[in-house]
Amino acid sequence: MIPLTLPQSLKTTPRLDHWVRFNVDHTVTVFSGKVELGQGIETAIAQIAADELDVALERVSLVAGDTTQSPDEWYTAGSQSIEIGGMAMRLACAEVRSLFLDAAARELEVNVEELRVRDGTIEVAGTDLRTSYWNLAPRVSLNRDVTGAATPKAPAQHWLVGKSAPRRDLRAKITGAAYVHDLELSDMVFGRVLRPPSNSARLNAFDASAIRAMPGVVAVMVSGNFIGLCAEREEQAVSALTAARRAASWLEEPLLPSTTEVRDFLPALPSVRSIVHRQGEMPITGSAQHLEARYSKPYIAHASIGPSCALARYDGGKLTIWSHTQGSHHLRGQIAQVLGVATSDVEVIHKDGAGCYGHNGADDVALDAALLARACARPVQVQWTREDELAWSPCGSAMVVRVAASLDVTGRIVDWRHEIWSHTHIKRPGWGEGINLLAAWHMDPPFPVPPAKDVPQPTGGADRNAIPLYDFPAQEISYNFIADMPLRVSALRSLGAFANVFAIESFMDELAAATNTDAIEFRLRHLKDSRAREVIETVAKAARWTTGENGNATRGRGVGFARYKNLSAYCAVIAEVEVGETLRVKRVVAAVDAGQVVNPDGLTNQIEGGIVQAISWTLKEQILWDRDRVLSRSWESYSILRFDETPEVDVLILSRPGEPGLGVGECAAGPTAAAVANALFNAMGVRARDLPLTPERVARAMN
């Protein structure tokens, strides 16, 4: 059954009136710190609230990511919106319902057990006695802390949870009214920021007078390496930015590695080694076979289709910011520190942007807008260029993973080593010490770039999913932490799990081949977890996997599996590829166990999107540079999967009502990458271990 211990969200914000409000028009407003990034979370959390309160879904509105109203739920990240945010909403609504039922019982002079709730009306069955949430609201105070004493509904009582509901966010997005880019404020001007040409660049000279004299320009702000400008019209701001780029001269140094091959330079960088996990005696002596392999993942951009954007208004010493941030409360605190004002003088309101599933430029552009709004004393909209989005927003950390294993004479793995070389996988604003916002580092005087630290286990950063779920008697997981990386890095969907699962599942295939064992059978041989086994068996049956699956030199199939973070959803993937001039993924079948499912259609959407994104990473995406600067600054130099390259995707859901809901958004990434690489091997006998699997890399692996 669902545990009744309070999730962190309720420990941070325990007051019930910060979660639920009954309005005079007989509607309900619920408040969440988990924001909509295109994952359908607004719909799912509204379903949870409506179901637990027994009100029609149409009556429930959601306010999310607004620092003036919403609870602080850290970041919308880590596939925790349902696991943590959804559970917090369920427990809060269960307690609110219980309080109102107690009040109704006193007022109607009956026992609580005699009451039922239908669309917010509380009635005694078989009588005319009734009241409602709205009638009782003036007399039932929610200005109290949650206790966790109220028991949520049992699965059999759910009437909304577990059923697909239409996405609430789509209408506004289709009509062009949802995005922060479309928001207009009275007397608003348009801002742009001139970024340095490279990370090493320092402003040598800049004459702002000519820019200030341009038509429509109302302000030019220069502080250290930060150059911002505002104009009455957007095209005037764009023209002023072009002129500013010509007017600025910079001093640069060639500081980037001479190669973009991660496997070559990453392990050579200074690092500190630690043991993440050790089990059993290492090494096992007398093993029949010993194999090892090394895998790599490049730096990957978020590559949001819409560039980052924010609006800010500075009025009477108070600053209001509209942002597609994933952590409104953290961003609020960081901007207040940069501006040297009280946190109470800053408000951050979430507004939808181009979803990124990680830490892109959304927080950075919010500070840009705040600085320019204060400089020109008018509301300002700031939008990044595509070039800045690719070159300056944080990217996903590169990784090298070395895996080694020994097998006994029966073909069972007896010891396993997994060693990682990487950097931190999270430098979000508010994470750790210092200021993690780009403009703050460029201002004069600059805020220091905070020292890097990674996410500890059990969730992990670079070592996320490095500890195998498989049952190996002896295992050792080590992490070579690289404090300084050539590029700016932070959270990207699945953090280190993408590379770790890619390495583990690719190596499991290599070991299966070395022992002449079917890939599915080999995994099941080393796996006791019954839910993990069922997910693998389900996907194999759905894809009609045959024992000893063989490709035909042009087509092949491969499998990948993981339980995300070893704590969240289980996901198994079988991918079918076609090999020609390029490697193409034709069909993917996935099976997912996410515990209790709130919205099956939303879950399916998440898996489908995660698979498509992972295929793009696996086949195409990598950031390139020369000694001076990042070169991947456009869609021509940073390739992503096109619509006509997306495969057919089938998703099977193993729903488990009564089990806790498990985070699902990031669970498909690693298994998909491994399944594609394993399918390539199945088709051609070629083992490609360095991502992305471009034609050049596949050819190199063949040779």
Side-chain angles (χ1 to χ4, degrees), residues 357-427:
Y357 304 119
H359 174 196
N360 68 350
D363 298 289
D364 295 319
V365 75
L367 177 57
D368 294 343
L371 291 169
L372 292 179
R374 190 168 69 167
C376 71
R378 288 175 64 179
V380 60
Q381 181 212 67
V382 180
Q383 183 169 306
W384 277 18
T385 64
R386 170 62 52 204
E387 178 177 347
D388 287 345
E389 189 72 35
L390 287 170
W392 279 105
S393 66
C395 57
S397 296
M399 291 180 64
V400 171
V401 180
R402 184 182 73 87
V403 191
S406 301
L407 302 100
D408 64 17
V409 292
T410 67
R412 293 187 69 90
I413 297 169
V414 291
D415 70 39
W416 178 276
R417 295 180 188 271
H418 185 114
E419 187 167 14
I420 302 161
W421 286 264
S422 193
H423 186 60
T424 180
H425 282 245
I426 179 169
K427 290 196 80 173

Side-chain angles (χ1 to χ4, degrees), residues 295 401-403 413 416-418 420 463-470 472 475 477 496-511 522-523 559-562 566 670 674 678 687:
Y295 305 86
V401 180
R402 184 182 73 87
V403 191
I413 297 169
W416 178 276
R417 295 180 188 271
H418 185 114
I420 302 161
D463 56 351
R464 179 170 292 182
N465 272 102
I467 302 172
L469 195 68
Y470 296 105
F472 304 143
Q475 47 187 284
I477 316 300
F498 178 69
N500 286 319
V501 174
F502 167 67
I504 291 170
E505 290 296 294
S506 294
F507 197 55
M508 287 293 284
D509 249 47
E510 296 197 42
L511 295 172
F522 189 76
R523 284 166 172 79
V559 62
F561 159 78
N566 290 354
N678 293 336
R687 178 59 65 185

Side-chain angles (χ1 to χ4, degrees), residues 209-276:
S209 59
I211 311 302
R212 291 191 174 97
M214 291 182 68
V217 173
V218 297
V220 178
M221 177 184 173
V222 182
S223 177
N225 292 319
F226 179 86
I227 301 174
L229 51 91
C230 299
E232 295 284 356
R233 297 177 58 84
E234 187 169 17
E235 71 272 17
Q236 293 170 332
V238 172
S239 296
L241 178 63
T242 302
R245 188 172 286 117
R246 291 194 300 263
S249 65
W250 306 85
L251 300 176
E252 297 182 77
E253 296 180 65
L255 298 180
L256 294 178
S258 57
T259 175
T260 58
E261 286 296 339
V262 168
R263 63 182 181 140
D264 294 333
F265 76 83
L266 202 63
L269 295 177
S271 63
V272 176
R273 189 175 187 270
S274 62
I275 300 299
V276 174

Side-chain angles (χ1 to χ4, degrees), residues 66-78:
D66 185 334
T67 58
T68 65
Q69 303 181 73
S70 302
D72 182 358
E73 293 198 78
W74 207 52
Y75 307 106
T76 303

